[in-house]
Each structure stands twice: as structure tokens, then as C-alpha cells.
Amino acid sequence: MNKIVKKEDIQFAVLAVDVICFRIIGKELYVLLGEVNAAPFYKNKLGLIGGLIAPEETADEAVARHMKNKVGVKKIKDVYREQVYTFSEVGRDPRGRVVSVAYLAITNKDVRNINKAAVKTNWHKVTDIPNLAYDHNEIFLTGLERLRAKVEYTNIVQYFLPAEFTLTQLQERYEIIVGRKVDKRNFRRKVLKLKMIKKIGKRLRGKATRPAELYKFVSKEIKIYEIFF
Amino acid sequence: MNKIVKKEDIQFAVLAVDVICFRIIGKELYVLLGEVNAAPFYKNKLGLIGGLIAPEETADEAVARHMKNKVGVKKIKDVYREQVYTFSEVGRDPRGRVVSVAYLAITNKDVRNINKAAVKTNWHKVTDIPNLAYDHNEIFLTGLERLRAKVEYTNIVQYFLPAEFTLTQLQERYEIIVGRKVDKRNFRRKVLKLKMIKKIGKRLRGKATRPAELYKFVSKEIKIYEIFF
DNA sequence: ACAAAAGTGTTCACTTTACACCCATGG
DNA sequence: CCATGGGTGTAAAGTGAACACTTTTGT
């Protein structure tokens, strides 16, 4: 009844992670892309940051490792990471069976290419993404969708901001991500009533304008808040 | 610079799927569990339904195949399925590295053990789950959490119901899943105003009571609805 | 006629939305 | 003193929550 199972019959796939890493620069949302070198299949193509999972690490650990090695992230704790979806289409990598666990990542630092990063990476506006290698356009969209959804009902937007920020900065980030303007007074009233953030009692001086109150997030953990608008 | 990479160095893991399959029987939510035979590690243990992913199939296809073969599901379209999370802890399976893609599934049929199913499976109340094999308690909880969340903001509850149902049946299912009673008038007003369901013009007769109007869901697709209560 | 479940409206409190002006500072 | 962005309140509409009685049927 039992067939003899050979190792190579069941260990046929390579495991990888792909990271959809977002950041806001100025007034726009950017995603981190890198050069893909997979000749002869992909030449001069861009793709998400990613890499293999090693035999003795979890997918989460693989994400942290590749963000350090390939992108040059120094403190991985500065980068928010969450698993999004696992892509297992048989032909998604032309070189062989690769199953990829996609992660959403967020940073407010320029993590590109510092610390002799091993791969050329750059920030690209999410409104202007070229054809990417593999199924990375699909993975990117899955990540963007998750980001937009979670900004509306959690405090995840905090990872786009420094620890201390003004209400205007917070609102700007929110608007950039969801892609729509909201009323200043209503926005402020809501985030304060939800106790998502609180005043720290310092103000941001230096501009030729009234100094803005600085705030911080009440919880560093991702929590449900029902922000909407 | 390039190390020689051997196949077995990167194809070290076995890929599997595990299915958290829910069903409502009477007034309670049940999950489908099966006997786990992985001596000497697990004996007389229960675990989620699952199995390996094959070299030429996606994770979704593996779920469909195992639900057919192991559980005896005839029409896989009757079973709602959605990917939940990928578990990649290094030691989660004592027999070796197994990475498992977990799926939430829902049915309103008794899919247990029909059609000479290959594995002994049974429905267990979610309030009374024993210690399961592997990390299946954690996977189960992840699935339950996803189910409860989605019942509150989508029309996913329809997969617990036949195509035609009464408002009382719908409300009962909703209450069982979220674990709390809601007001009958408010519930009815809301699902109707949301245009989630519509009257089909038939009534359910046969009981010594006023016959109930029958309804159907407007969309078979999972859609966002913001039900809450 | 009775038991059992179906069906139906209103009120009150709160939340959401829309909207415009004064304030504090640096140069 | 002026240009710039920061900060604030109110009214009207809509939504959420609480609550009890009448209707229709089968036996």
C-alpha cells in the first residue's frame, strides 16, 4: 500500500520571501525595487526585494536577513514587517519551482543601499511601477491592497513616521496612502478620541509659523482602531 | 565569488497545506479534525486536515485534492476556501522541515467520511478542542480569528447556509460565529439596507407557525459589507 | 384556540459631516 | 507687519441601539 517516497519527490520546491517595502518621500508613496539578475529569463528588469529561505530559518527570519544583506537595513526593528500571502503558482519562476511568501514592510528611513548593500535598490513611486520580473506586479498589488486596508482600521501608519510627529504630518501620511483628502478638524478629533495618539507636550519650532504640537502613538503594537473617513 | 549550490541545499523543505474547515451544526460551530498517524511522534492525536503539496500543483489545488481524497468532498465548489497564513517554524514538524500553508474552509454539508474517505475525520465543537498534533492548535486559532473577523465585514457567512434561507437562520449563523446575540429588528434592517441579501418570493412552510420568507445572497463573491453590531 | 416563530417602527443618543476664521511664530 | 501653517467649534444629517406587540400558521 505504501509507496516508497524519495526525498527529491517531495522536496522539489525552493522557498523564498518577497518583500513589498513601502516608504513615503515628500508627498508620495514609494516601494523598494531592486535589479533582477536571472539571465537568460530576466535582463534589465526590476523586481521586489527578496531571497531564499534557508534550511534553519523561518520566513520572518529570512525577510530580516535579506533586508539586512541586500538592502543594508541596520536595525531591522525599524522596519515593520507582516506576512501577506504565499504565492505557489507552478510556473511563477521560469527557473524552477519557487514558492514565495510575500511580506509587507514599512519604513520611514532611507534604507536603500547603505552599508554596502549587495543589490542595487531604489525607491519607486507606486503610481509608476514598470513591468516587474516574475509575478512581482501581482505581489506588489497584493501588498498595496493590504497596506491601504490596514491604514483605515489600524495604527499601522505609525511606521511611516518618526516617534514624534505633528498632526499635519500624520494626516498627510494617511491621505497619501488612502489616496484621498480628509477634513483637518474631523481627522484630528477622531484620532484623538480614539486615543490612538497622544500629545507629548513638546512643540516643533523653527519655521516662520506657529509651532506645531508633537504627538506620539499610544501603542507600538498594531491595534484595531476603525479610523475610516 | 559564487558558491556552488547543490539542489538539496535549497530544496530542503516539504510543502504542505492544512485546512481549518468550519461548519455549523445545530447551534454550534464545529471544525473538522482527523486522526494523525505519525508514530512515534504522535499517537492517538487529532489534527487538522491537510497533506503535501505536489510538484505540479498550487497550494489551492492541494487543498482541493486533499479535501476530495481525505475527507470525501464531492463538489469542491461547495467548500469555500481562502488562504490564511504560512507557518514556517523550523521545528513545527518533528519529522523534518515542513512549511505549511493554512487555509480557512467553510461548508454547509456534512463532508465527513463520505465516498470512502481515506482518513477518519470528525466535526468537533470549537469550544472544546483538545491538544492537537504539531502546531495545529495555533493554526486552528488563526483560522478561527480570521473567520470571526470576516463574518463582521463581508458576506462570508453565506457559506454556512444553503442557497435559500430565512432571516432567522442567517441571524443564528451570524450569532454563533461572533458569539453574541443581536437585536432581530436591527439585524434585519441592516442586512437588507446593505443589499447583502434579497427576498426570493418563496416562503418556508410546514411548521406550526407563520411561514418565513426565503432569501438569497445577492453576490456569491466575497464582498465587503461592514455589518458589525 | 393555542403554541410557536415571523414580522414590523419609533425614539433617543451619538456619530459623522460640512464648513471658515483666528493664532502664533520667524523673518 | 506679514506670510505661513497651526489650531479650533457648531449645526444638521445620519446612524446605532434599545425596546414589545401583532401576524400567521399547523395541530
Side-chain angles (χ1 to χ4, degrees):
Chain A
M1 184 69 199
N2 268 336
K3 285 172 288 188
I4 290 163
V5 178
K6 280 189 280 183
K7 234 185 163 196
E8 55 267 34
D9 289 341
I10 55 171
Q11 295 182 352
F12 51 84
V14 171
L15 285 172
V17 292
D18 284 304
V19 183
I20 313 124
C21 183
F22 292 104
R23 182 177 173 230
I24 287 173
I25 309 173
K27 304 263 178 199
E28 296 208 62
L29 182 62
Y30 285 73
V31 66
L32 193 60
L33 299 177
E35 289 177 6
V36 171
N37 279 311
F41 302 109
Y42 295 112
K43 286 170 90 166
N44 304 320
K45 277 273 182 186
L46 292 172
L48 297 169
I49 308 306
L52 298 187
I53 299 178
E56 298 292 331
E57 75 185 354
T58 62
D60 291 49
E61 287 159 1
V63 170
R65 180 168 59 85
H66 290 298
M67 292 297 281
K68 282 185 192 161
N69 295 345
K70 298 203 173 157
V71 186
V73 173
K74 279 181 181 154
K75 280 190 264 174
I76 192 65
K77 271 194 66 183
D78 290 346
V79 178
Y80 172 76
R81 292 153 284 144
E82 99 175 24
Q83 195 191 109
V84 173
Y85 198 81
T86 295
F87 292 83
S88 65
E89 286 299 315
V90 174
R92 56 175 296 281
D93 189 320
R95 298 167 300 180
R97 185 82 196 267
V98 180
V99 170
S100 177
V101 186
Y103 277 73
L104 163 63
I106 302 171
T107 180
N108 69 332
K109 304 246 165 68
D110 189 356
V111 292
R112 160 189 52 120
N113 269 344
I114 4 179
N115 190 26
K116 325 186 202 93
V119 176
K120 276 217 177 67
T121 60
N122 237 316
W123 295 100
H124 294 256
K125 290 182 193 178
V126 299
T127 51
D128 190 25
I129 300 297
N131 266 352
L132 304 177
Y134 314 107
D135 53 356
H136 284 193
N137 287 93
E138 183 188 355
I139 298 179
F140 159 70
L141 286 174
T142 307
L144 183 57
E145 207 177 306
R146 170 75 66 99
L147 171 64
R148 289 198 167 130
K150 281 198 110 150
V151 163
E152 303 241 37
Y153 69 91
T154 71
N155 55 356
I156 203 174
V157 66
Q158 70 181 284
Y159 293 99
F160 288 98
L161 286 163
E164 302 182 351
F165 54 87
T166 67
L167 287 176
T168 301
Q169 290 166 350
L170 174 60
Q171 184 177 346
E172 253 176 37
R173 302 293 193 282
Y174 178 87
E175 289 175 340
I176 289 165
I177 297 163
V178 303
R180 136 179 59 96
K181 298 275 181 197
V182 301
D183 180 81
K184 180 162 68 162
R185 278 168 293 189
N186 294 340
F187 182 82
R188 287 165 180 231
R189 197 173 327 137
K190 190 140 186 181
V191 291
L192 288 167
K193 207 185 67 181
L194 289 170
K195 298 208 166 80
M196 195 166 87
I197 59 172
K198 79 174 192 224
K199 212 180 271 199
I200 60 176
K202 284 198 282 179
R203 283 183 303 167
L204 184 64
R205 309 187 84 85
K207 279 181 295 183
T209 158
R210 176 169 176 175
E213 288 284 348
L214 287 167
Y215 290 80
K216 66 174 182 184
F217 274 84
V218 170
S219 166
K220 261 278 178 193
E221 312 301 310
I222 297 292
K223 278 180 61 180
I224 307 286
Y225 278 96
E226 311 287 351
I227 305 159
F228 298 130
F229 268 103
Chain B
M1 184 71 199
N2 268 336
K3 285 170 289 188
I4 291 164
V5 178
K6 279 187 280 182
K7 235 185 160 196
E8 53 268 35
D9 289 341
I10 55 171
Q11 294 182 352
F12 52 83
V14 171
L15 285 171
V17 292
D18 285 303
V19 183
I20 313 123
C21 183
F22 291 103
R23 181 177 174 229
I24 287 174
I25 308 173
K27 305 264 179 197
E28 295 208 62
L29 182 62
Y30 285 73
V31 65
L32 192 61
L33 299 177
E35 289 179 7
V36 171
N37 278 311
F41 302 108
Y42 295 112
K43 285 170 92 168
N44 303 321
K45 278 271 181 189
L46 292 172
L48 297 168
I49 308 306
L52 299 187
I53 298 178
E56 299 291 332
E57 75 184 353
T58 63
D60 291 49
E61 288 159 359
V63 171
R65 180 169 58 86
H66 290 298
M67 292 297 281
K68 280 184 196 163
N69 295 345
K70 297 201 174 160
V71 186
V73 173
K74 278 182 179 153
K75 281 191 263 173
I76 192 66
K77 272 194 66 186
D78 289 346
V79 179
Y80 172 76
R81 289 153 288 143
E82 101 177 22
Q83 197 193 106
V84 173
Y85 198 81
T86 294
F87 292 83
S88 64
E89 287 298 317
V90 174
R92 56 176 295 283
D93 189 319
R95 298 167 301 179
R97 186 83 196 266
V98 180
V99 170
S100 177
V101 186
Y103 277 73
L104 164 62
I106 301 172
T107 180
N108 70 332
K109 303 245 166 70
D110 189 356
V111 293
R112 160 190 52 121
N113 269 343
I114 5 178
N115 191 24
K116 326 186 199 96
V119 176
K120 274 219 177 68
T121 60
N122 238 316
W123 295 100
H124 293 255
K125 291 184 190 177
V126 299
T127 51
D128 188 28
I129 300 296
N131 266 352
L132 304 178
Y134 314 109
D135 54 357
H136 283 193
N137 287 92
E138 183 188 354
I139 298 179
F140 160 70
L141 286 173
T142 308
L144 183 57
E145 207 176 306
R146 169 75 66 97
L147 171 64
R148 288 197 167 133
K150 283 199 109 150
V151 163
E152 303 242 35
Y153 69 90
T154 71
N155 55 356
I156 202 174
V157 66
Q158 70 181 285
Y159 292 98
F160 287 97
L161 286 162
E164 302 183 349
F165 53 87
T166 67
L167 287 175
T168 301
Q169 289 166 350
L170 174 60
Q171 183 176 348
E172 253 177 37
R173 301 295 193 280
Y174 178 87
E175 289 175 340
I176 289 166
I177 297 163
V178 303
R180 136 180 61 95
K181 297 275 181 197
V182 301
D183 180 82
K184 179 163 68 161
R185 279 167 292 189
N186 293 339
F187 182 82
R188 287 164 181 232
R189 195 176 322 130
K190 191 139 186 181
V191 291
L192 288 167
K193 205 184 71 183
L194 290 169
K195 296 208 164 79
M196 196 166 86
I197 58 172
K198 79 174 192 229
K199 211 181 269 201
I200 60 175
K202 285 197 280 179
R203 285 184 301 168
L204 184 64
R205 310 189 83 87
K207 280 181 295 184
T209 157
R210 177 169 174 174
E213 288 284 347
L214 286 167
Y215 289 81
K216 66 173 181 183
F217 274 84
V218 169
S219 166
K220 261 276 179 195
E221 313 300 310
I222 296 292
K223 279 179 62 181
I224 307 285
Y225 278 95
E226 310 289 351
I227 305 161
F228 298 131
F229 269 104

